[in-house]
Amino acid sequence: RRLADARASAVGGRPRARDPNMTSRGARRLIGLASLTPPNAWLAAQPGAQRARSTIVGLVNLRGLGAARDFHTPVLAAGNLSLEVPAFCVWGANTAVGKTLVSAGLARSARRHGLPTFYLKPVQTGFPDDSDASFVAEKATGARGQGPGMSTMGHHAATAAGRAQGGTNLPLTDGGGPAGNFWAHTEYAWRRAVGPHVAVAEEGRFVSDRALLASVTNQLAQFADTVVGPNERSGGAGIAFVETAGGVCSPGPSGTPQCDLLRPMRMPAILVGDGNLGGISTTLASLDVLSMRGYDVVAVVVADGGAGLGNSDAIGRYAKTYHGCPTFRLPRVPERRVVGGGATAGSGEEIFEWMDEGAKTFDALLGRLVRWHDARIAELRGAADEAREILWWPFTQHDMVPRENVAVIDSRSGEDFGVYVEDVEGAGPGSVQLRFDGAASWWTQGVSKELQHRLVRAAAAAAGRWGHVMFPENAHEAALDAARGLLLGAGRSWATRVFYSDNGSTAMEVAVKMAIRAFYVRKGHVEAGSPSAIETADALPQVQVLALDGSYHGDTLGTMDMQAPSVFTGPLQTPWYKPRGLFMNPPTLQLRKGRWVVTQPRGGIRPEFAGESWGLDEATRGWETRAEAFDWATRDGSDLAKRYRSAVEKILDENAADPTASPVAALVMECVLHGAGGMDLIDPLFQRTLILVCKERGLPVVLDEVFAGIWRLGAEGAWELLGDGCAPDISCYAKLLTGGLVPLAITASTEDVFDAFRGPTKTHALLHGHSYTAYPVGCAVAAEAMRIYRDPEANPNLIVEGAEPVGGSGFESGDQGAGLRIDRERPSGPIASSSDSKLRLRELWDETAVREISLLPNVAGVTAIGCVLAVEVDDGGGGGYSSGATKEIVLKLRAHSIQARPLGNVLYVMCAPTTAPERCAQILQSVTRELRASAMDDDDDAW
């Protein structure tokens, strides 16, 4: 709260202590500790940095609060967007279609209506001879011949203009029109008139995507502060236009298409169409590209009046029918022709005449923009109230959710939510802020923003090609592609069959049906393929599963019965609950006070083992690193391994000898990590022992890898972490399977399990399925997601051990449906099932920093594995799902641009397998700070 107050005071806002979800009016654009570039470092590198610190972003040094808080308040998170003034991005269907003319016409209209206006050209080539900012300044203000003096340029652009000491990063302070309410600015520029990526290659002065995005964010924030903020000097609200370079997909300085580069901000779009022959196609393609990227296209503008080509009519019908946006028709742009003395006509008086002729159209377009912006704010502000009235959230007690705790998600960009944040006073329009999705959208998010478009394209291609196809006795390339990907990936070396469903719970229902049939066949209760199986079905024994307490396999009735009694299975939740399991309370592995230790359950793994002392060495001395706890060469021969084996064999033997007990038909367990049960890392030696003993007895092994599988824990299959001999008979995959884009689940099995369902009649078959089985869109996305994870060129965290990849991921795109084919003749690279290579993810959470968290007085233990960081907060009680110990910490993390979700007394954050390690380091630092603050109980004297 002191941090929020300091931020508010820094920019003139009023502090308000108990609203970490909201920002003060003056500080509403400053939230964002996890900014894409360290803002302090960026500012320090700029000329005039000290002035920037004091006048733009209110950078606050909190050393005055005590030595323990020796860090700076974060400034603008790159990609945050204030809604105080409308800001629109001007795109072109191609180069030379009139983007700058439209920008100038809109700016001129805004000035006629008394609106302060800011024109920003982030990237310019051919500079300074060709300066769109100077052109717009001249045409918008009517100051003929004074354009260059009316616009400003950044330090980078000044270098291109030959002004080594010139330039400013404060155009709103150093520039301005005659009335003091118009600004035009060029930030980055190169001399040669070519694509920015080519200019960088020739001239140097590279600009990263992060720096460019941060610059646009900062410039728009300056404008908002100037016209409506504490530094207001214009007399009212205004409007901003950000003009791109070239076409929608034209590369930026780094080579990234601009539609991807600017996507985190998701500024509403104005698309300037092409009025020339062939322009209909390029305009419609551009419109679809922007829409598929998630942009709101507010208006299309076409300057084709009098051309007789009908472009605006055709474009208008398409835009209205498929995108719901209007098209504005302008007079045809005067031709640029060379006249006497080398001057160019069409850049002087004729342009003023053209803008005057189109003045009514520009006024109508400006009105459309302002009304759209107001409607957007109204919709965002009303979303929380409407949600509370008509939605029914899962796992939520609605009476405990105040309005201010409802997160309105405007959009998503890779691992980040675009969260709408209201002003503290509640009267202003608020802002859209990027926050890291700490719950990985409930454990599904798999790709960064740089890779997100690949999944979107796969979905669009599949939707366009197939739509949906009912699945029994049918085959389509998407289903085959995803199946091959799974069998060569997480299912390699053991799985031969793939059964599709739509979610993890259903996948587990299918898995248990498979396991029980396999058990019947293995134990001689059913003869596979024999007609007699139907006749003897009524005499088959009722069975149970061997399972672990604290596991969670879904919310359907069958999966509930496989779980031990818990808050999820109580009479108020599942009235038909009938436990069908022989449940064991598992030992856990956790980093406690700097050491990885095994904690045996109170009361033993079963009541008959209560009071016994097991694994004293593992519980006290433990290990320095997590890897040592997974070292089977050492642990397989330990006394604790013998204890585990003896106990498991005794439990199974006693159940088999009890004539009143149902026989155990299968082992069913979440693999390695219990997710919903509290992010408990089960002692891997215990799970390894369970699998080995059950395999020796012919019991099918069913692993629930819905959460843990497909790279969540650092390995493609979580079963790999348990060592040799622990491959399952059946396993389930979902969540990361499709990278977080669409629902899909897979139940994979061995051929032995599949053979148990063979027979002469349909009744012998597995009679299970649903309408969207093997949904082609889901399958296509899953294939592409698995391809991304395994490709070291796409996934920066992938480590290939033992063999160099031949190239790529072993997947090859077919001629149709991009990303839907595997090279079956020669699987190569890291996807190959060769034992010569092994894949894993690098450590994403710094081990030293994690160990420091475990030493905090309010931390009971820490689990860090793969993409998961989970901190058990000591709440002074028994903890558990109903605990509220982490709720306030979770809310405070929002001020660090992290949107997390509490899990009882466990604070967890989860990244994607492709998240940059630097991002994980920032998140870890933020979590550490808030845990430390909580440990001190926010006591000033303690600090």
Side-chain angles (χ1 to χ4, degrees):
R1 289 193 294 272
R2 290 196 314 279
L3 184 60
D5 289 352
R7 289 179 184 145
S9 299
V11 291
R14 293 183 301 172
R16 181 169 176 177
R18 299 191 179 273
D19 285 304
N21 184 38
M22 307 168 84
T23 54
S24 69
R25 177 172 173 79
R28 53 185 156 256
R29 290 171 306 283
L30 303 187
I31 297 301
L33 184 62
S35 57
L36 299 181
T37 47
N40 299 343
W42 182 85
L43 280 171
Q46 310 305 313
Q50 294 300 324
R51 185 156 60 109
R53 284 194 181 97
S54 61
T55 62
I56 306 176
V57 295
L59 188 66
V60 181
N61 188 326
L62 294 183
R63 288 187 178 90
L65 296 180
R69 289 227 167 177
D70 186 8
F71 63 94
H72 291 98
T73 303
V75 294
L76 287 164
N80 283 1
L81 182 65
S82 169
L83 299 178
E84 289 171 316
V85 294
F88 295 89
C89 194
V90 181
W91 300 88
N94 207 335
T95 190
V97 294
K99 294 191 306 294
T100 306
L101 288 169
V102 170
S103 297
L106 281 168
R108 188 176 176 87
S109 175
R111 283 181 53 79
R112 281 198 302 272
H113 290 83
L115 283 176
T117 306
F118 179 42
Y119 170 86
L120 175 63
K121 185 75 173 182
V123 174
Q124 176 82 64
T125 59
F127 191 80
D129 295 336
D130 187 6
S131 172
D132 290 346
S134 295
F135 180 90
V136 171
E138 178 177 309
K139 306 311 176 190
T141 62
R144 291 162 172 77
Q146 298 182 32
M150 297 281 297
S151 64
T152 56
M153 64 186 77
H155 302 293
H156 185 282
T159 301
R163 304 176 188 176
Q165 303 301 318
T168 177
N169 292 112
L170 304 171
L172 281 300
T173 301
D174 296 343
N181 63 352
F182 177 82
W183 300 264
H185 182 71
T186 305
E187 184 65 19
Y188 302 106
W190 292 263
R191 288 181 290 275
R192 191 174 170 210
V194 292
H197 62 303
V198 177
V200 167
E202 294 181 353
E203 301 178 29
R205 294 184 294 116
F206 174 78
V207 177
S208 70
D209 293 351
R210 294 179 176 183
L212 198 153
L213 190 67
S215 172
V216 174
T217 303
N218 289 333
Q219 302 293 352
L220 292 178
Q222 287 184 55
F223 178 59
D225 274 338
T226 300
V227 297
V228 297
N231 300 318
E232 179 180 330
R233 60 185 179 92
S234 66
I239 192 166
F241 301 104
V242 179
E243 184 184 321
T244 59
V248 166
C249 293
S250 294
S254 69
T256 301
Q258 291 175 87
C259 56
D260 293 325
L261 195 162
L262 293 173
R263 172 57 181 79
M265 294 191 77
R266 210 181 76 87
M267 278 184 287
I270 303 166
L271 176 62
V272 180
D274 190 343
N276 298 306
L277 186 63
I280 295 174
S281 178
T282 58
T283 303
L284 300 190
S286 298
L287 186 57
D288 285 343
V289 165
L290 289 172
S291 179
M292 284 181 57
R293 290 302 198 282
Y295 289 97
D296 293 320
V297 181
V298 181
V300 179
V301 185
V302 184
D304 72 342
L309 299 177
N311 286 26
S312 59
D313 292 335
I315 292 168
R317 286 192 297 271
Y318 187 90
K320 181 178 180 181
T321 302
Y322 298 108
H323 296 275
C325 67
T327 298
F328 293 81
R329 181 176 181 175
L330 286 167
R332 189 160 183 80
V333 178
E335 292 185 9
R336 297 169 64 90
R337 61 185 185 279
V338 177
V339 295
T344 303
S347 61
E349 290 301 323
E350 287 147 338
I351 295 299
F352 285 108
E353 293 171 2
W354 176 83
M355 287 194 295
D356 289 340
E357 185 181 353
K360 290 184 178 180
T361 301
F362 281 118
D363 287 349
L365 175 56
L366 182 66
R368 159 71 177 170
L369 301 181
V370 173
R371 289 191 301 273
W372 186 92
H373 178 75
D374 291 343
R376 180 189 187 189
I377 293 171
E379 182 177 348
L380 289 170
R381 294 187 65 180
D385 289 327
E386 187 176 11
R388 284 159 52 86
E389 291 175 0
I390 67 175
L391 299 183
W392 193 332
W393 290 307
F395 300 99
T396 300
Q397 176 48 260
H398 285 233
D399 291 342
M400 296 174 64
V401 182
R403 182 189 182 280
E404 59 268 21
N405 283 2
V406 179
V408 177
I409 309 300
D410 175 75
S411 61
R412 182 181 194 94
S413 177
E415 305 104 313
D416 295 326
F417 283 141
V419 183
Y420 173 63
V421 179
E422 291 184 333
D423 298 323
V424 167
E425 293 93 333
S431 60
V432 175
Q433 299 175 5
L434 290 181
R435 291 180 183 167
F436 182 85
D437 177 8
S441 275
W442 246 354
W443 318 343
T444 66
Q445 181 65 23
V447 297
S448 62
K449 66 176 173 37
E450 291 81 7
L451 298 168
Q452 180 174 308
H453 62 91
R454 288 181 54 174
L455 300 187
V456 174
R457 277 203 294 265
R465 180 177 176 182
W466 290 289
H468 181 52
V469 178
M470 60 90 70
F471 201 53
E473 301 174 44
N474 287 334
H476 51 78
E477 192 176 11
L480 293 171
D481 195 14
R484 289 191 293 263
L486 193 285
L487 296 178
L488 290 172
R492 68 184 178 280
S493 81
W494 65 272
T496 63
R497 297 283 175 166
V498 163
F499 187 97
Y500 287 107
S501 57
D502 61 340
N503 65 80
S505 186
T506 304
M508 284 301 296
E509 295 270 2
V510 173
V512 173
K513 286 186 176 182
M514 291 178 177
I516 293 174
R517 176 72 68 86
F519 169 79
Y520 285 153
V521 170
R522 290 181 183 182
K523 299 303 179 182
H525 299 293
V526 170
E527 183 180 353
S530 170
S532 63
I534 306 301
E535 302 169 2
T536 60
D538 291 339
L540 292 174
Q542 291 293 302
V543 296
Q544 61 178 337
V545 298
L546 184 64
L548 302 184
D549 195 4
S551 63
Y552 177 77
H553 303 295
D555 299 321
T556 51
L557 293 177
T559 60
M560 284 289 180
D561 287 354
M562 291 187 291
Q563 300 172 38
S566 70
V567 65
F568 302 109
T569 60
L572 288 177
Q573 300 298 329
T574 314
W576 287 351
Y577 172 65
K578 183 180 180 181
R580 300 176 187 272
L582 186 59
F583 301 109
M584 293 176 290
N585 196 4
T588 56
L589 174 68
Q590 197 176 41
L591 181 62
R592 291 174 174 260
K593 306 307 176 188
R595 304 286 294 183
W596 287 91
V597 296
V598 173
T599 302
Q600 296 297 328
R602 296 177 181 176
I605 62 171
R606 291 279 295 173
E608 55 265 37
F609 299 102
E612 295 188 11
S613 254
W614 294 3
L616 292 179
D617 189 52
E618 289 86 347
T620 54
R621 189 168 62 90
W623 305 274
E624 184 176 354
T625 67
R626 188 191 67 241
E628 293 173 272
F630 286 81
D631 179 8
W632 307 122
T634 301
R635 295 204 69 194
D636 277 349
S638 66
D639 178 70
L640 186 57
K642 297 174 184 176
R643 292 271 193 163
Y644 285 160
R645 173 172 281 273
S646 174
V648 173
E649 290 179 338
K650 181 179 179 182
I651 290 169
L652 291 173
D653 288 341
E654 289 181 351
N655 185 81
D658 184 353
T660 65
S662 298
V664 172
L667 169 65
V668 177
M669 63 180 182
E670 285 186 88
C671 192
V672 181
L673 189 72
H674 282 184
M679 297 295 166
D680 287 333
L681 180 60
I682 308 305
D683 182 5
L685 179 62
F686 181 70
Q687 288 204 329
R688 174 174 168 80
T689 303
L690 278 170
I691 292 174
L692 294 177
V693 170
C694 288
K695 279 180 168 288
E696 291 167 6
R697 293 175 177 241
L699 295 178
V701 174
V702 178
L703 294 183
D704 181 345
E705 295 188 73
V706 168
F707 165 57
I710 310 187
W711 302 108
R712 181 59 75 197
L713 303 185
E716 193 161 19
W719 58 270
E720 299 175 63
L721 300 174
L722 298 177
D724 294 339
C726 288
D729 297 283
I730 304 163
S731 193
C732 298
Y733 302 93
K735 299 193 184 299
L736 277 175
L737 177 63
T738 60
L741 190 65
V742 290
L744 188 76
I746 283 177
T747 305
S749 80
T750 63
E751 197 69 13
D752 175 70
V753 172
F754 178 79
D755 288 342
F757 288 85
R758 293 185 185 274
T761 71
K762 191 172 184 178
T763 311
H764 289 77
L766 177 57
L767 303 182
H768 195 112
H770 60 99
S771 298
Y772 281 90
T773 298
Y775 180 44
V777 173
C779 291
V781 173
E784 185 68 1
M786 288 186 282
R787 182 178 296 109
I788 288 171
Y789 300 147
R790 298 189 192 107
D791 185 355
E793 294 182 4
N795 185 354
N797 299 320
L798 191 68
I799 296 176
V800 184
E801 298 176 332
E804 291 296 324
V806 178
S809 62
F811 286 74
E812 292 185 357
S813 299
D815 295 333
Q816 295 177 327
L820 297 178
R821 181 167 294 149
I822 295 176
D823 180 359
R824 282 175 277 179
E825 298 299 322
R826 181 185 54 80
S828 64
I831 191 177
S833 58
S834 169
S835 59
D836 294 335
S837 63
K838 183 179 180 182
L839 303 180
R840 65 178 177 87
L841 295 184
R842 69 177 74 249
E843 289 294 333
L844 297 172
W845 309 106
D846 180 75
E847 194 165 3
T848 300
V850 171
R851 183 173 291 108
E852 290 177 359
I853 291 178
S854 76
L855 297 173
L856 292 175
N858 59 335
V859 172
V862 182
T863 297
I865 182 170
C867 304
V868 180
L869 173 68
V871 181
E872 182 186 354
V873 175
D874 187 352
D875 64 357
Y881 186 78
S882 300
S883 172
T886 62
K887 187 173 182 179
E888 187 161 344
I889 298 175
V890 163
L891 291 177
K892 288 181 177 180
L893 283 174
R894 295 181 181 181
H896 298 261
S897 291
I898 299 173
Q899 187 84 14
R901 177 178 171 83
L903 186 61
N905 66 317
V906 175
L907 168 67
Y908 77 92
V909 289
M910 203 175 296
C911 66
T914 58
T915 300
E918 297 82 6
R919 191 80 189 275
C920 293
Q922 291 175 343
I923 294 165
L924 189 56
Q925 185 181 45
S926 297
V927 169
T928 303
R929 285 173 177 168
E930 290 305 335
L931 284 168
R932 282 177 176 162
S934 178
M936 293 292 189
D937 198 25
D938 224 11
D939 185 344
D940 286 332
D941 293 335
W943 288 118

